[in-house]
Structure formats: structure tokens, C-alpha cells
């Protein structure tokens, strides 16, 4: 993920419209993508639950392909025996759209997810 912006908020607390982008992959064989998602985040078992789905909204930015996320979610739940740590579980159903060889999609998605978790871990270190 290269950017994340809240582009709209709703009266319901925890609800927003988010736009995020990804960089091109495999020497730009897979063009940069943008996603527009409705997101809802709430407390869950002393942690957080965040769920979302892509929505059709606005014009696609130049040089980006509009991807689509089917219903997805993230759970972040503190570990009972180690209060300084949490378990992060994600469920993602992404359609990158565009004309892509499936092997390229599989490789790029796997690398992107590994990098996401590495960057998340590094960002959370205090």
C-alpha cells in the first residue's frame, strides 16, 4: 500500500470511505491500483474489528486501475497471557481487475501481503 486517505465520513461512528493505492508490481507488469472502500471499525473482545467492501465512487485516477475488494475484515485481539501483544487476523478477497496472467497476480499478491505485515510489524515497534 502506498497511500491511504479517508475521503468521506458518515454519521455512524467508525464508518468512513477510504481510498488507497498500491504501487506497480513486477516491473509495472501489474499497473498501480486504487481501491475505494466503505470501512467500518468497532471494538471487539477488547480489540478491534474492521470490515469493508469496495464501492463504485468517483472517477478512476489517471495511471491507476480500479481494483475491487469483496467483503473483507481484520481482527486485532489482545493475547490473554501476553497483554503487550495482539493477534492480527485478516480475511481479504481482492479482485485486481485488468488483464493479468494469474501467475503474476498470485506472485504479486503474496509478495505484497508479506511486505504489508513486515512494514506493519516495523511500524508498531516502539
Amino acid at each position: 500500500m502506498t497511500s491511504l486517505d479517508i475521503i468521506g465520513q458518515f454519521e455512524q461512528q467508525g464508518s468512513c470511505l477510504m481510498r488507497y493505492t498500491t504501487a506497480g508490481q513486477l516491473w509495472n507488469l501489474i499497473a498501480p491500483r486504487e481501491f475505494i472502500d466503505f470501512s467500518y471499525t468497532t471494538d471487539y473482545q477488547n480489540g478491534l474489528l474492521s470490515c469493508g467492501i469496495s464501492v463504485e465512487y468517483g472517477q478512476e485516477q489517471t495511471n491507476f486501475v480500479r481494483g475491487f475488494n469483496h467483503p473483507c475484515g481484520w481482527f486485532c485481539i489482545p493475547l490473554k497471557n501476553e497483554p503487550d501483544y495482539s493477534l492480527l487476523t485478516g480475511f481479504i478477497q481482492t479482485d485486481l481487475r485488468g488483464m493479468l496472467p494469474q501467475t503474476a497476480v498470485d506472485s504479486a499478491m503474496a509478495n505484497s501481503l508479506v511486505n504489508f505485515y513486515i512494514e506493519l510489524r516495523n511500524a508498531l515497534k516502539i
Side-chain angles (χ1 to χ4, degrees), residues 18-84:
M18 300 170 51
R19 177 186 177 276
Y20 60 94
T21 62
T22 63
Q25 300 288 317
L26 301 174
W27 303 281
N28 272 345
L29 175 65
I30 298 176
R33 296 302 199 258
E34 72 169 345
F35 298 84
I36 307 292
D37 288 2
F38 169 78
S39 177
Y40 177 73
T41 302
T42 188
D43 294 334
Y44 177 78
Q45 295 185 3
N46 297 320
L48 292 175
L49 163 64
S50 184
C51 55
I53 186 169
S54 285
V55 295
E56 297 299 327
Y57 179 84
Q59 293 291 337
E60 190 175 300
Q61 281 197 44
T62 307
N63 300 324
F64 285 91
V65 173
R66 178 72 57 90
F68 187 88
N69 287 318
H70 297 278
C72 56
W74 297 91
F75 299 89
C76 185
I77 302 170
L79 297 176
K80 291 179 182 177
N81 298 332
E82 298 193 49
D84 291 340

Short mmCIF file of all heavy atoms in Angstrom, two decimals, residues 18-84:
data_model
loop_
_atom_site.label_atom_id
_atom_site.label_comp_id
_atom_site.label_asym_id
_atom_site.label_seq_id
_atom_site.Cartn_x
_atom_site.Cartn_y
_atom_site.Cartn_z
N MET A 18 -12.77 5.08 2.27
CA MET A 18 -11.31 5.15 2.19
C MET A 18 -10.85 4.95 0.75
O MET A 18 -11.43 4.17 0.01
CB MET A 18 -10.68 4.07 3.06
CG MET A 18 -11.04 4.19 4.51
SD MET A 18 -10.53 2.77 5.49
CE MET A 18 -8.84 2.59 5.06
N ARG A 19 -9.80 5.64 0.40
CA ARG A 19 -9.13 5.44 -0.89
C ARG A 19 -7.70 5.05 -0.59
O ARG A 19 -7.01 5.74 0.16
CB ARG A 19 -9.16 6.70 -1.73
CG ARG A 19 -8.41 6.52 -3.04
CD ARG A 19 -8.30 7.83 -3.82
NE ARG A 19 -7.53 7.61 -5.01
CZ ARG A 19 -6.19 7.64 -5.05
NH1 ARG A 19 -5.50 7.90 -3.97
NH2 ARG A 19 -5.57 7.39 -6.18
N TYR A 20 -7.28 3.95 -1.14
CA TYR A 20 -5.87 3.62 -1.00
C TYR A 20 -5.33 3.10 -2.31
O TYR A 20 -6.06 2.66 -3.19
CB TYR A 20 -5.61 2.66 0.15
CG TYR A 20 -6.28 1.33 0.09
CD1 TYR A 20 -5.63 0.23 -0.45
CD2 TYR A 20 -7.56 1.15 0.58
CE1 TYR A 20 -6.23 -1.00 -0.49
CE2 TYR A 20 -8.17 -0.08 0.55
CZ TYR A 20 -7.51 -1.15 0.01
OH TYR A 20 -8.11 -2.37 -0.03
N THR A 21 -4.02 3.24 -2.45
CA THR A 21 -3.34 2.87 -3.69
C THR A 21 -2.23 1.87 -3.39
O THR A 21 -1.74 1.78 -2.27
CB THR A 21 -2.74 4.10 -4.39
OG1 THR A 21 -1.76 4.70 -3.54
CG2 THR A 21 -3.82 5.12 -4.74
N THR A 22 -1.87 1.15 -4.43
CA THR A 22 -0.73 0.25 -4.37
C THR A 22 0.23 0.62 -5.50
O THR A 22 -0.19 1.19 -6.52
CB THR A 22 -1.15 -1.22 -4.53
OG1 THR A 22 -1.74 -1.40 -5.82
CG2 THR A 22 -2.15 -1.61 -3.45
N ALA A 23 1.47 0.27 -5.32
CA ALA A 23 2.48 0.52 -6.35
C ALA A 23 2.36 -0.53 -7.44
O ALA A 23 1.78 -1.60 -7.23
CB ALA A 23 3.87 0.48 -5.73
N GLY A 24 2.93 -0.24 -8.59
CA GLY A 24 3.01 -1.24 -9.64
C GLY A 24 3.89 -2.40 -9.17
O GLY A 24 4.74 -2.23 -8.29
N GLN A 25 3.68 -3.56 -9.72
CA GLN A 25 4.42 -4.76 -9.33
C GLN A 25 5.06 -5.40 -10.56
O GLN A 25 4.59 -5.23 -11.68
CB GLN A 25 3.48 -5.78 -8.68
CG GLN A 25 2.79 -5.28 -7.43
CD GLN A 25 3.74 -5.19 -6.26
OE1 GLN A 25 4.56 -6.06 -6.03
NE2 GLN A 25 3.65 -4.09 -5.53
N LEU A 26 6.09 -6.18 -10.31
CA LEU A 26 6.77 -6.94 -11.37
C LEU A 26 7.14 -6.03 -12.54
O LEU A 26 6.74 -6.23 -13.66
CB LEU A 26 5.90 -8.11 -11.84
CG LEU A 26 5.51 -9.14 -10.79
CD1 LEU A 26 4.53 -10.15 -11.37
CD2 LEU A 26 6.74 -9.83 -10.22
N TRP A 27 7.92 -5.01 -12.23
CA TRP A 27 8.39 -4.03 -13.21
C TRP A 27 7.21 -3.39 -13.95
O TRP A 27 7.24 -3.18 -15.15
CB TRP A 27 9.37 -4.68 -14.18
CG TRP A 27 10.53 -5.27 -13.49
CD1 TRP A 27 11.62 -4.62 -13.00
CD2 TRP A 27 10.70 -6.65 -13.16
NE1 TRP A 27 12.45 -5.50 -12.38
CE2 TRP A 27 11.92 -6.76 -12.46
CE3 TRP A 27 9.95 -7.79 -13.36
CZ2 TRP A 27 12.40 -7.97 -11.99
CZ3 TRP A 27 10.43 -9.00 -12.89
CH2 TRP A 27 11.64 -9.07 -12.23
N ASN A 28 6.16 -3.11 -13.20
CA ASN A 28 4.92 -2.49 -13.69
C ASN A 28 4.16 -3.34 -14.70
O ASN A 28 3.31 -2.83 -15.42
CB ASN A 28 5.16 -1.08 -14.23
CG ASN A 28 5.06 -0.06 -13.12
OD1 ASN A 28 4.55 -0.35 -12.04
ND2 ASN A 28 5.56 1.13 -13.36
N LEU A 29 4.45 -4.66 -14.73
CA LEU A 29 3.60 -5.56 -15.49
C LEU A 29 2.20 -5.49 -14.92
O LEU A 29 1.21 -5.52 -15.63
CB LEU A 29 4.14 -6.99 -15.42
CG LEU A 29 3.28 -8.07 -16.08
CD1 LEU A 29 3.22 -7.84 -17.58
CD2 LEU A 29 3.83 -9.45 -15.78
N ILE A 30 2.13 -5.37 -13.58
CA ILE A 30 0.87 -5.11 -12.90
C ILE A 30 0.87 -3.64 -12.55
O ILE A 30 1.67 -3.18 -11.74
CB ILE A 30 0.71 -5.99 -11.64
CG1 ILE A 30 0.72 -7.47 -12.03
CG2 ILE A 30 -0.56 -5.63 -10.90
CD1 ILE A 30 0.66 -8.41 -10.86
N ALA A 31 0.00 -2.87 -13.20
CA ALA A 31 -0.06 -1.42 -13.01
C ALA A 31 -0.48 -1.08 -11.58
O ALA A 31 -1.10 -1.88 -10.90
CB ALA A 31 -1.05 -0.81 -14.00
N PRO A 32 -0.16 0.14 -11.12
CA PRO A 32 -0.65 0.57 -9.80
C PRO A 32 -2.17 0.48 -9.73
O PRO A 32 -2.86 0.70 -10.73
CB PRO A 32 -0.18 2.03 -9.71
CG PRO A 32 0.94 2.14 -10.69
CD PRO A 32 0.62 1.18 -11.78
N ARG A 33 -2.66 0.15 -8.55
CA ARG A 33 -4.10 0.00 -8.35
C ARG A 33 -4.60 1.02 -7.34
O ARG A 33 -3.85 1.48 -6.47
CB ARG A 33 -4.44 -1.39 -7.80
CG ARG A 33 -4.13 -2.57 -8.72
CD ARG A 33 -4.86 -2.42 -10.03
NE ARG A 33 -4.98 -3.64 -10.80
CZ ARG A 33 -4.23 -3.94 -11.85
NH1 ARG A 33 -3.24 -3.17 -12.21
NH2 ARG A 33 -4.48 -5.03 -12.54
N GLU A 34 -5.88 1.37 -7.46
CA GLU A 34 -6.54 2.16 -6.44
C GLU A 34 -7.82 1.43 -6.05
O GLU A 34 -8.43 0.75 -6.86
CB GLU A 34 -6.85 3.58 -6.91
CG GLU A 34 -7.95 3.69 -7.92
CD GLU A 34 -8.40 5.12 -8.16
OE1 GLU A 34 -8.07 6.02 -7.39
OE2 GLU A 34 -9.10 5.32 -9.16
N PHE A 35 -8.19 1.57 -4.79
CA PHE A 35 -9.38 0.94 -4.25
C PHE A 35 -10.16 2.01 -3.49
O PHE A 35 -9.57 2.84 -2.80
CB PHE A 35 -9.01 -0.18 -3.27
CG PHE A 35 -8.23 -1.29 -3.90
CD1 PHE A 35 -6.86 -1.21 -4.07
CD2 PHE A 35 -8.88 -2.43 -4.34
CE1 PHE A 35 -6.15 -2.24 -4.65
CE2 PHE A 35 -8.18 -3.47 -4.93
CZ PHE A 35 -6.81 -3.37 -5.08
N ILE A 36 -11.48 1.98 -3.62
CA ILE A 36 -12.36 2.84 -2.84
C ILE A 36 -13.24 1.90 -2.02
O ILE A 36 -14.03 1.13 -2.58
CB ILE A 36 -13.25 3.75 -3.73
CG1 ILE A 36 -12.43 4.54 -4.74
CG2 ILE A 36 -14.14 4.64 -2.86
CD1 ILE A 36 -11.54 5.61 -4.13
N ASP A 37 -13.06 1.94 -0.71
CA ASP A 37 -13.76 1.00 0.17
C ASP A 37 -14.58 1.72 1.22
O ASP A 37 -14.15 2.74 1.77
CB ASP A 37 -12.76 0.11 0.93
CG ASP A 37 -12.10 -0.93 0.05
OD1 ASP A 37 -12.37 -0.95 -1.16
OD2 ASP A 37 -11.31 -1.71 0.59
N PHE A 38 -15.77 1.16 1.49
CA PHE A 38 -16.52 1.54 2.68
C PHE A 38 -15.92 0.71 3.81
O PHE A 38 -15.75 -0.50 3.68
CB PHE A 38 -18.01 1.23 2.52
CG PHE A 38 -18.76 1.37 3.81
CD1 PHE A 38 -19.10 2.62 4.28
CD2 PHE A 38 -19.07 0.26 4.57
CE1 PHE A 38 -19.77 2.77 5.49
CE2 PHE A 38 -19.74 0.38 5.77
CZ PHE A 38 -20.09 1.64 6.24
N SER A 39 -15.61 1.34 4.93
CA SER A 39 -14.99 0.66 6.05
C SER A 39 -15.75 0.95 7.34
O SER A 39 -16.21 2.08 7.55
CB SER A 39 -13.54 1.14 6.20
OG SER A 39 -12.92 0.56 7.33
N TYR A 40 -15.84 -0.06 8.17
CA TYR A 40 -16.47 0.09 9.49
C TYR A 40 -15.56 -0.57 10.52
O TYR A 40 -15.14 -1.71 10.35
CB TYR A 40 -17.86 -0.55 9.52
CG TYR A 40 -18.50 -0.47 10.88
CD1 TYR A 40 -18.98 0.75 11.36
CD2 TYR A 40 -18.59 -1.59 11.70
CE1 TYR A 40 -19.56 0.84 12.62
CE2 TYR A 40 -19.17 -1.50 12.96
CZ TYR A 40 -19.64 -0.28 13.42
OH TYR A 40 -20.20 -0.18 14.67
N THR A 41 -15.22 0.17 11.57
CA THR A 41 -14.34 -0.32 12.63
C THR A 41 -15.04 -0.15 13.97
O THR A 41 -15.64 0.89 14.23
CB THR A 41 -13.01 0.44 12.63
OG1 THR A 41 -12.40 0.29 11.34
CG2 THR A 41 -12.06 -0.09 13.69
N THR A 42 -14.95 -1.19 14.81
CA THR A 42 -15.60 -1.16 16.11
C THR A 42 -14.78 -1.97 17.12
O THR A 42 -13.92 -2.76 16.73
CB THR A 42 -17.04 -1.71 16.02
OG1 THR A 42 -17.71 -1.50 17.25
CG2 THR A 42 -17.07 -3.18 15.67
N ASP A 43 -15.07 -1.79 18.40
CA ASP A 43 -14.44 -2.59 19.45
C ASP A 43 -14.93 -4.02 19.34
O ASP A 43 -16.08 -4.27 19.01
CB ASP A 43 -14.80 -2.05 20.84
CG ASP A 43 -14.22 -0.67 21.09
OD1 ASP A 43 -13.19 -0.34 20.47
OD2 ASP A 43 -14.80 0.06 21.91
N TYR A 44 -14.01 -4.97 19.65
CA TYR A 44 -14.37 -6.38 19.61
C TYR A 44 -13.48 -7.14 20.59
O TYR A 44 -12.27 -7.16 20.42
CB TYR A 44 -14.20 -6.92 18.20
CG TYR A 44 -14.48 -8.40 18.07
CD1 TYR A 44 -15.78 -8.87 18.04
CD2 TYR A 44 -13.44 -9.32 18.01
CE1 TYR A 44 -16.06 -10.22 17.92
CE2 TYR A 44 -13.71 -10.67 17.89
CZ TYR A 44 -15.01 -11.12 17.86
OH TYR A 44 -15.27 -12.45 17.75
N GLN A 45 -14.05 -7.73 21.60
CA GLN A 45 -13.34 -8.52 22.61
C GLN A 45 -12.06 -7.81 23.07
O GLN A 45 -10.97 -8.36 23.02
CB GLN A 45 -13.01 -9.91 22.07
CG GLN A 45 -14.23 -10.75 21.79
CD GLN A 45 -13.88 -12.17 21.38
OE1 GLN A 45 -12.72 -12.56 21.34
NE2 GLN A 45 -14.90 -12.94 21.09
N ASN A 46 -12.19 -6.58 23.51
CA ASN A 46 -11.08 -5.75 23.97
C ASN A 46 -10.08 -5.42 22.87
O ASN A 46 -8.98 -4.94 23.13
CB ASN A 46 -10.35 -6.38 25.16
CG ASN A 46 -11.26 -6.51 26.35
OD1 ASN A 46 -12.06 -5.61 26.64
ND2 ASN A 46 -11.16 -7.62 27.05
N GLY A 47 -10.42 -5.69 21.64
CA GLY A 47 -9.57 -5.37 20.50
C GLY A 47 -10.38 -4.61 19.47
O GLY A 47 -11.30 -3.86 19.83
N LEU A 48 -10.06 -4.82 18.22
CA LEU A 48 -10.75 -4.13 17.13
C LEU A 48 -11.20 -5.10 16.06
O LEU A 48 -10.53 -6.10 15.78
CB LEU A 48 -9.83 -3.10 16.47
CG LEU A 48 -9.43 -1.89 17.29
CD1 LEU A 48 -8.41 -1.06 16.52
CD2 LEU A 48 -10.65 -1.06 17.62
N LEU A 49 -12.31 -4.78 15.45
CA LEU A 49 -12.80 -5.46 14.26
C LEU A 49 -12.98 -4.39 13.20
O LEU A 49 -13.61 -3.36 13.45
CB LEU A 49 -14.14 -6.15 14.53
CG LEU A 49 -14.96 -6.56 13.32
CD1 LEU A 49 -14.24 -7.62 12.50
CD2 LEU A 49 -16.34 -7.04 13.73
N SER A 50 -12.40 -4.60 12.04
CA SER A 50 -12.56 -3.67 10.93
C SER A 50 -12.99 -4.47 9.72
O SER A 50 -12.37 -5.49 9.39
CB SER A 50 -11.25 -2.93 10.65
OG SER A 50 -11.43 -1.98 9.64
N CYS A 51 -14.06 -4.04 9.07
CA CYS A 51 -14.53 -4.75 7.88
C CYS A 51 -14.81 -3.72 6.78
O CYS A 51 -14.98 -2.54 7.04
CB CYS A 51 -15.76 -5.59 8.18
SG CYS A 51 -17.12 -4.69 8.92
N GLY A 52 -14.81 -4.21 5.56
CA GLY A 52 -15.03 -3.29 4.45
C GLY A 52 -15.39 -4.01 3.17
O GLY A 52 -15.34 -5.24 3.07
N ILE A 53 -15.75 -3.20 2.19
CA ILE A 53 -16.07 -3.68 0.85
C ILE A 53 -15.87 -2.50 -0.11
O ILE A 53 -16.13 -1.35 0.24
CB ILE A 53 -17.51 -4.23 0.76
CG1 ILE A 53 -17.75 -4.86 -0.61
CG2 ILE A 53 -18.53 -3.16 1.10
CD1 ILE A 53 -19.04 -5.65 -0.70
N SER A 54 -15.40 -2.79 -1.31
CA SER A 54 -15.24 -1.74 -2.30
C SER A 54 -16.59 -1.24 -2.79
O SER A 54 -17.57 -1.99 -2.82
CB SER A 54 -14.42 -2.24 -3.49
OG SER A 54 -13.06 -2.33 -3.16
N VAL A 55 -16.62 0.02 -3.16
CA VAL A 55 -17.82 0.65 -3.71
C VAL A 55 -17.44 1.41 -4.97
O VAL A 55 -16.30 1.83 -5.14
CB VAL A 55 -18.48 1.61 -2.68
CG1 VAL A 55 -18.98 0.83 -1.48
CG2 VAL A 55 -17.53 2.70 -2.25
N GLU A 56 -18.41 1.56 -5.84
CA GLU A 56 -18.20 2.39 -7.03
C GLU A 56 -18.32 3.84 -6.59
O GLU A 56 -19.33 4.24 -6.03
CB GLU A 56 -19.23 2.07 -8.11
CG GLU A 56 -19.15 0.64 -8.62
CD GLU A 56 -17.83 0.30 -9.28
OE1 GLU A 56 -17.21 1.18 -9.90
OE2 GLU A 56 -17.41 -0.87 -9.15
N TYR A 57 -17.27 4.62 -6.81
CA TYR A 57 -17.26 6.00 -6.33
C TYR A 57 -16.29 6.81 -7.16
O TYR A 57 -15.11 6.45 -7.29
CB TYR A 57 -16.83 6.03 -4.86
CG TYR A 57 -16.77 7.41 -4.27
CD1 TYR A 57 -17.91 8.02 -3.76
CD2 TYR A 57 -15.57 8.11 -4.22
CE1 TYR A 57 -17.85 9.30 -3.21
CE2 TYR A 57 -15.51 9.39 -3.67
CZ TYR A 57 -16.65 9.96 -3.17
OH TYR A 57 -16.59 11.23 -2.63
N GLY A 58 -16.75 7.90 -7.70
CA GLY A 58 -15.89 8.85 -8.39
C GLY A 58 -15.17 8.27 -9.60
O GLY A 58 -15.35 7.13 -9.98
N GLN A 59 -14.34 9.12 -10.16
CA GLN A 59 -13.56 8.74 -11.33
C GLN A 59 -12.27 8.04 -10.92
O GLN A 59 -11.66 8.38 -9.91
CB GLN A 59 -13.21 9.98 -12.16
CG GLN A 59 -14.40 10.66 -12.80
CD GLN A 59 -15.00 9.80 -13.90
OE1 GLN A 59 -14.34 8.95 -14.47
NE2 GLN A 59 -16.27 10.04 -14.19
N GLU A 60 -11.87 7.09 -11.73
CA GLU A 60 -10.59 6.41 -11.54
C GLU A 60 -9.47 7.41 -11.82
O GLU A 60 -9.53 8.17 -12.79
CB GLU A 60 -10.56 5.26 -12.55
CG GLU A 60 -9.45 4.29 -12.39
CD GLU A 60 -9.63 3.16 -13.39
OE1 GLU A 60 -10.66 2.47 -13.33
OE2 GLU A 60 -8.73 2.99 -14.23
N GLN A 61 -8.45 7.42 -10.97
CA GLN A 61 -7.32 8.31 -11.18
C GLN A 61 -6.51 7.86 -12.38
O GLN A 61 -6.37 6.67 -12.65
CB GLN A 61 -6.41 8.33 -9.96
CG GLN A 61 -6.92 9.19 -8.84
CD GLN A 61 -5.80 9.48 -7.87
OE1 GLN A 61 -4.68 9.80 -8.26
NE2 GLN A 61 -6.11 9.36 -6.60
N THR A 62 -5.93 8.82 -13.10
CA THR A 62 -5.06 8.52 -14.22
C THR A 62 -3.89 7.66 -13.74
O THR A 62 -3.39 7.86 -12.64
CB THR A 62 -4.52 9.83 -14.83
OG1 THR A 62 -5.63 10.68 -15.13
CG2 THR A 62 -3.73 9.59 -16.09
N ASN A 63 -3.46 6.72 -14.54
CA ASN A 63 -2.33 5.82 -14.27
C ASN A 63 -2.63 4.76 -13.21
O ASN A 63 -1.72 4.12 -12.71
CB ASN A 63 -1.07 6.60 -13.87
CG ASN A 63 -0.63 7.55 -14.96
OD1 ASN A 63 -0.76 7.25 -16.14
ND2 ASN A 63 -0.13 8.69 -14.57
N PHE A 64 -3.89 4.61 -12.80
CA PHE A 64 -4.27 3.57 -11.85
C PHE A 64 -5.37 2.71 -12.47
O PHE A 64 -6.18 3.20 -13.25
CB PHE A 64 -4.82 4.16 -10.55
CG PHE A 64 -3.76 4.74 -9.66
CD1 PHE A 64 -3.41 6.07 -9.78
CD2 PHE A 64 -3.14 3.96 -8.70
CE1 PHE A 64 -2.44 6.62 -8.96
CE2 PHE A 64 -2.17 4.49 -7.87
CZ PHE A 64 -1.82 5.82 -8.00
N VAL A 65 -5.40 1.46 -12.09
CA VAL A 65 -6.50 0.57 -12.42
C VAL A 65 -7.34 0.44 -11.15
O VAL A 65 -6.80 0.27 -10.06
CB VAL A 65 -5.99 -0.82 -12.88
CG1 VAL A 65 -7.14 -1.80 -13.06
CG2 VAL A 65 -5.18 -0.69 -14.16
N ARG A 66 -8.66 0.55 -11.27
CA ARG A 66 -9.53 0.46 -10.10
C ARG A 66 -9.73 -1.01 -9.74
O ARG A 66 -10.34 -1.77 -10.46
CB ARG A 66 -10.87 1.12 -10.40
CG ARG A 66 -11.93 1.07 -9.32
CD ARG A 66 -11.67 1.95 -8.10
NE ARG A 66 -11.50 3.36 -8.36
CZ ARG A 66 -12.47 4.28 -8.39
NH1 ARG A 66 -13.71 3.92 -8.18
NH2 ARG A 66 -12.18 5.53 -8.61
N GLY A 67 -9.18 -1.42 -8.61
CA GLY A 67 -9.37 -2.77 -8.10
C GLY A 67 -10.65 -2.84 -7.28
O GLY A 67 -11.32 -1.82 -7.06
N PHE A 68 -10.99 -4.03 -6.84
CA PHE A 68 -12.23 -4.22 -6.09
C PHE A 68 -12.00 -5.21 -4.97
O PHE A 68 -11.46 -6.30 -5.19
CB PHE A 68 -13.34 -4.73 -7.01
CG PHE A 68 -14.68 -4.80 -6.34
CD1 PHE A 68 -15.52 -3.70 -6.34
CD2 PHE A 68 -15.10 -5.95 -5.69
CE1 PHE A 68 -16.76 -3.75 -5.72
CE2 PHE A 68 -16.33 -6.01 -5.06
CZ PHE A 68 -17.16 -4.91 -5.08
N ASN A 69 -12.37 -4.83 -3.75
CA ASN A 69 -12.31 -5.73 -2.61
C ASN A 69 -13.71 -6.24 -2.31
O ASN A 69 -14.61 -5.46 -2.03
CB ASN A 69 -11.77 -5.02 -1.37
CG ASN A 69 -10.29 -4.76 -1.47
OD1 ASN A 69 -9.55 -5.62 -1.92
ND2 ASN A 69 -9.86 -3.58 -1.07
N HIS A 70 -13.88 -7.54 -2.37
CA HIS A 70 -15.11 -8.17 -1.91
C HIS A 70 -15.11 -8.07 -0.38
O HIS A 70 -14.13 -7.60 0.20
CB HIS A 70 -15.17 -9.62 -2.41
CG HIS A 70 -15.21 -9.70 -3.91
ND1 HIS A 70 -16.38 -9.54 -4.62
CD2 HIS A 70 -14.23 -9.87 -4.82
CE1 HIS A 70 -16.12 -9.64 -5.91
NE2 HIS A 70 -14.82 -9.83 -6.06
N PRO A 71 -16.19 -8.45 0.30
CA PRO A 71 -16.20 -8.30 1.77
C PRO A 71 -14.92 -8.84 2.40
O PRO A 71 -14.45 -9.94 2.07
CB PRO A 71 -17.41 -9.13 2.19
CG PRO A 71 -18.34 -9.04 1.02
CD PRO A 71 -17.43 -9.07 -0.19
N CYS A 72 -14.32 -8.02 3.26
CA CYS A 72 -13.07 -8.39 3.91
C CYS A 72 -13.09 -7.88 5.35
O CYS A 72 -13.94 -7.08 5.73
CB CYS A 72 -11.88 -7.83 3.15
SG CYS A 72 -11.93 -6.05 2.91
N GLY A 73 -12.16 -8.36 6.14
CA GLY A 73 -12.14 -7.93 7.53
C GLY A 73 -10.82 -8.21 8.22
O GLY A 73 -10.02 -9.03 7.77
N TRP A 74 -10.59 -7.50 9.30
CA TRP A 74 -9.40 -7.63 10.14
C TRP A 74 -9.84 -7.70 11.59
O TRP A 74 -10.68 -6.92 12.02
CB TRP A 74 -8.48 -6.41 9.96
CG TRP A 74 -7.96 -6.26 8.58
CD1 TRP A 74 -8.53 -5.54 7.56
CD2 TRP A 74 -6.78 -6.84 8.05
NE1 TRP A 74 -7.76 -5.65 6.43
CE2 TRP A 74 -6.68 -6.43 6.70
CE3 TRP A 74 -5.80 -7.67 8.58
CZ2 TRP A 74 -5.63 -6.83 5.89
CZ3 TRP A 74 -4.75 -8.05 7.76
CH2 TRP A 74 -4.67 -7.63 6.42
N PHE A 75 -9.27 -8.63 12.32
CA PHE A 75 -9.49 -8.74 13.76
C PHE A 75 -8.15 -8.49 14.43
O PHE A 75 -7.15 -9.08 14.05
CB PHE A 75 -9.96 -10.15 14.16
CG PHE A 75 -11.25 -10.57 13.54
CD1 PHE A 75 -11.28 -11.22 12.31
CD2 PHE A 75 -12.44 -10.33 14.20
CE1 PHE A 75 -12.48 -11.63 11.76
CE2 PHE A 75 -13.64 -10.74 13.64
CZ PHE A 75 -13.66 -11.38 12.42
N CYS A 76 -8.14 -7.65 15.43
CA CYS A 76 -6.94 -7.41 16.24
C CYS A 76 -7.36 -7.62 17.69
O CYS A 76 -8.08 -6.79 18.27
CB CYS A 76 -6.41 -6.00 16.02
SG CYS A 76 -4.87 -5.70 16.87
N ILE A 77 -6.94 -8.75 18.25
CA ILE A 77 -7.39 -9.14 19.58
C ILE A 77 -6.19 -9.34 20.50
O ILE A 77 -5.27 -10.09 20.16
CB ILE A 77 -8.21 -10.45 19.51
CG1 ILE A 77 -9.40 -10.24 18.57
CG2 ILE A 77 -8.66 -10.90 20.88
CD1 ILE A 77 -10.13 -11.50 18.22
N PRO A 78 -6.17 -8.65 21.66
CA PRO A 78 -5.04 -8.83 22.59
C PRO A 78 -4.94 -10.27 23.07
O PRO A 78 -5.95 -10.95 23.27
CB PRO A 78 -5.40 -7.91 23.76
CG PRO A 78 -6.45 -6.99 23.25
CD PRO A 78 -7.16 -7.70 22.15
N LEU A 79 -3.71 -10.74 23.24
CA LEU A 79 -3.49 -12.09 23.77
C LEU A 79 -3.70 -12.07 25.27
O LEU A 79 -3.17 -11.21 25.97
CB LEU A 79 -2.07 -12.57 23.43
CG LEU A 79 -1.76 -12.70 21.95
CD1 LEU A 79 -0.30 -13.09 21.75
CD2 LEU A 79 -2.67 -13.73 21.29
N LYS A 80 -4.46 -13.03 25.78
CA LYS A 80 -4.80 -13.06 27.20
C LYS A 80 -3.58 -13.20 28.10
O LYS A 80 -3.48 -12.54 29.13
CB LYS A 80 -5.79 -14.19 27.48
CG LYS A 80 -7.15 -13.96 26.90
CD LYS A 80 -8.09 -15.10 27.17
CE LYS A 80 -9.42 -14.82 26.49
NZ LYS A 80 -10.36 -15.91 26.65
N ASN A 81 -2.64 -14.04 27.72
CA ASN A 81 -1.47 -14.30 28.57
C ASN A 81 -0.31 -13.33 28.35
O ASN A 81 0.65 -13.34 29.10
CB ASN A 81 -0.98 -15.73 28.38
CG ASN A 81 -2.04 -16.74 28.79
OD1 ASN A 81 -2.87 -16.45 29.65
ND2 ASN A 81 -2.02 -17.90 28.17
N GLU A 82 -0.40 -12.51 27.29
CA GLU A 82 0.65 -11.54 27.00
C GLU A 82 0.00 -10.23 26.57
O GLU A 82 -0.16 -9.96 25.39
CB GLU A 82 1.57 -12.06 25.90
CG GLU A 82 2.30 -13.33 26.30
CD GLU A 82 3.42 -13.67 25.34
OE1 GLU A 82 4.22 -12.76 25.05
OE2 GLU A 82 3.48 -14.82 24.90
N PRO A 83 -0.35 -9.37 27.53
CA PRO A 83 -1.14 -8.17 27.23
C PRO A 83 -0.42 -7.16 26.32
O PRO A 83 -1.07 -6.28 25.77
CB PRO A 83 -1.42 -7.57 28.61
CG PRO A 83 -0.43 -8.20 29.52
CD PRO A 83 -0.06 -9.53 28.94
N ASP A 84 0.88 -7.28 26.16
CA ASP A 84 1.60 -6.36 25.27
C ASP A 84 1.53 -6.79 23.81
O ASP A 84 2.07 -6.11 22.95
CB ASP A 84 3.06 -6.25 25.70
CG ASP A 84 3.22 -5.54 27.03
OD1 ASP A 84 2.29 -4.80 27.44
OD2 ASP A 84 4.27 -5.70 27.68
#
